[in-house]
Amino acid sequence: KAGVTQTPRYLIKTRGQQVTLSCSPISGHRSVSWYQQTPGQGLQFLFEYFSETQRNKGNFPGRFSGRQFSNSRSEMNVSTLELGDSALYLCASSLETGTFGNTIYFGEGSWLTVV
Amino acid sequence: SQELEQSPQSLIVQEGKNLTINCTSSKTLYGLYWYKQKYGEGLIFLMMLQKGGEEKSHEKITAKLDEKKQQSSLHITASQPSHAGIYLCGADGPGKGSGNTGKLIFGQGTTLQVKP
């Protein structure tokens, strides 16, 4: 069974540009979450999607957005990139949300460097 | 605000030695996850604990959740170089008992080095 797949693995963007990251969850998983990891702030929750609906949102500006498709694949978008957006972006998936005993699996991440 | 505290922040042990990493919350934990991460890579799921007093083991790694469900420990027996990495505890909104979501709060991580 394939794990959580994220693309691209590495990318470099210029300030002011926008970027789209993609995540394919484990087959059968319907919940997808996104996280940002930086040396200074650690791992921080961005948002969670379930059945194409955003269920939870972290404390990030509106430049960060996401969506989920009917096949549970998800994308996140960051517009008007800033240097501080340089980070490892991690996607995670689980079968359900709001139930006990949910195991959450993470992908390898997408490294974003903003120059 | 930081709600999960991990200790120690870093650890260097000789191969073959045992070690323990702690994760403490000021609120009751409903769903405590342990992950391992190699720098710059994704998180590898180790274990999930939910019930007070619960203990799970996988190979040489044992994780426990205390009876009050406010502290978890990760114990590695006879450490090997392959155990080196960053260990992270994550919890689903400490104090929230309405089912687990994908919104986890993480500790700051414990970096483990194992000297051959």
Side-chain angles (χ1 to χ4, degrees):
Chain A
K1 203 175 193 180
V4 180
T5 305
Q6 292 187 244
T7 56
R9 286 295 322 277
Y10 305 93
L11 67 166
I12 301 173
K13 290 286 187 179
T14 305
R15 268 182 302 176
Q17 286 186 316
Q18 72 166 9
V19 66
T20 298
L21 307 178
S22 181
C23 173
S24 292
I26 292 172
S27 177
H29 284 196
R30 296 193 293 161
S31 171
V32 174
S33 299
W34 289 90
Y35 290 80
Q36 181 195 65
Q37 187 176 33
T38 59
Q41 299 297 319
L43 259 172
Q44 292 187 291
F45 172 80
L46 280 158
F47 25 66
E48 178 188 18
Y49 286 87
F50 182 79
S51 293
E52 302 178 66
T53 303
Q54 188 178 88
R55 297 301 179 103
N56 284 292
K57 191 176 188 304
N59 190 25
F60 278 82
R63 300 184 297 107
F64 292 81
S65 63
R67 59 178 176 168
Q68 187 179 35
F69 302 96
S70 58
N71 62 359
S72 294
R73 192 177 68 84
S74 177
E75 289 181 347
M76 68 161 283
N77 184 276
V78 188
S79 62
T80 319
L81 285 166
E82 300 175 1
L83 294 178
D85 296 333
S86 296
L88 178 65
Y89 289 88
L90 291 159
C91 172
S93 78
S94 62
L95 272 171
E96 300 286 341
T97 189
T99 59
F100 287 102
N102 246 345
T103 302
I104 300 172
Y105 298 95
F106 282 77
E108 286 294 307
S110 292
W111 268 110
L112 171 64
T113 301
V114 182
V115 297
Chain B
S1 62
Q2 178 72 20
E3 296 189 41
L4 289 182
E5 290 285 340
Q6 282 187 239
S7 62
Q9 283 195 317
S10 63
L11 200 50
I12 303 174
V13 300
Q14 203 68 38
E15 183 176 358
K17 294 295 185 183
N18 303 336
L19 62 107
T20 299
I21 298 168
N22 293 304
C23 177
T24 303
S25 170
S26 58
K27 299 179 181 178
T28 301
L29 295 165
Y30 296 97
L32 188 286
Y33 299 80
W34 282 102
Y35 293 92
K36 179 187 173 186
Q37 183 180 33
K38 294 281 191 180
Y39 179 75
E41 298 180 8
L43 275 61
I44 299 168
F45 174 78
L46 295 175
M47 276 166 277
M48 182 202 180
L49 305 165
Q50 281 204 291
K51 300 175 185 176
E54 186 173 14
E55 180 176 319
K56 289 186 178 178
S57 294
H58 177 67
E59 297 181 342
K60 294 185 179 181
I61 301 177
T62 300
K64 301 178 186 178
L65 183 61
D66 74 344
E67 289 289 344
K68 287 185 178 179
K69 299 204 296 183
Q70 286 188 267
Q71 184 172 44
S72 179
S73 60
L74 186 83
H75 184 78
I76 299 177
T77 305
S79 58
Q80 302 168 352
S82 60
H83 287 128
I86 302 167
Y87 288 82
L88 291 147
C89 65
D92 183 0
K96 180 173 72 68
S98 56
N100 305 131
T101 71
K103 182 180 180 180
L104 300 182
I105 295 168
F106 282 89
Q108 74 274 35
T110 296
T111 302
L112 171 65
Q113 293 181 52
V114 180
K115 288 190 171 182

